[in-house]
Amino acid sequence: MASEMANRVVGKVKEIEKIWKSGSILIPEEYGKQLDNLLRTTLKHGAAYNKETPEERYRTLMGQYTDLVDGLNKKYQKLYSKHSEYLKEERLVAKLDLRERLRYLVFRMLTGVGIAAIVLATGWIAKEFEIPLPLLRAPV
């Protein structure tokens, strides 16, 4: 159950990293630039209906909506940082799960070696003291 959950978490982390590396998730500075470009493009298309030039309209609107745009940029930056923290935590979970699996593997290997050593030691002791063991004297 726990390993199934860990596999799903690792799968999600890899999926998020793939999206991240593809460039779909923007760093806050790039997000701000694209938001600014979107506003400028919108104003260019609307310039035919206004007497102001797109640049004048942009300055006017930025003067009116600076708080809104700054707030949007800050919220995106906070979302970006939370997302980064989430990815780091997911990587840590995957790393710890791998350590746990390796620990269990080593424990199982040592248990198998220990049991084999006990069986071989028992056979050796029985042979040294000439104790008959039924499994050591198989009929030929």
Side-chain angles (χ1 to χ4, degrees):
M1 181 77 172
S3 64
E4 181 182 324
M5 174 89 86
N7 287 336
R8 286 196 328 227
V9 167
V10 169
K12 285 289 181 187
V13 169
K14 288 181 181 177
E15 183 180 320
I16 290 169
E17 284 180 340
K18 193 160 109 180
I19 292 170
W20 189 274
K21 289 178 181 175
S22 72
S24 301
I25 299 174
L26 303 174
I27 59 173
E29 292 78 21
E30 188 64 31
Y31 174 78
K33 287 178 187 175
Q34 286 197 8
L35 185 64
D36 190 58
N37 287 338
L38 176 65
L39 183 56
R40 287 179 186 274
T41 305
T42 304
L43 290 173
K44 278 183 188 176
H45 291 297
Y49 302 105
N50 296 323
K51 294 181 181 178
E52 296 177 301
T53 64
E55 193 60 37
E56 290 171 342
R57 188 74 182 137
Y58 174 78
R59 277 190 242 117
T60 304
L61 286 174
M62 285 308 288
Q64 293 173 356
Y65 298 110
T66 303
D67 293 339
L68 180 64
V69 172
D70 288 345
L72 190 58
N73 281 330
K74 286 178 184 174
K75 287 178 183 174
Y76 184 81
Q77 192 164 7
K78 187 174 182 179
L79 177 67
Y80 179 84
S81 67
K82 290 292 182 188
H83 180 72
S84 297
E85 289 174 20
Y86 171 75
L87 281 180
K88 287 177 188 174
E89 191 169 325
E90 293 300 326
R91 285 188 198 115
L92 178 64
V93 167
K95 185 178 177 181
L96 292 175
D97 183 57
L98 178 62
R99 284 183 186 171
E100 182 180 345
R101 288 179 183 203
L102 289 174
R103 185 173 52 102
Y104 284 144
L105 176 66
V106 169
F107 176 75
R108 288 182 186 131
M109 288 173 57
L110 290 177
T111 302
V113 168
I115 290 171
I118 289 171
V119 169
L120 291 173
T122 303
W124 180 76
I125 291 171
K127 185 179 177 187
E128 288 297 315
F129 292 109
E130 297 177 7
I131 300 171
L133 292 177
L135 295 177
L136 290 179
R137 296 177 191 214
V140 183

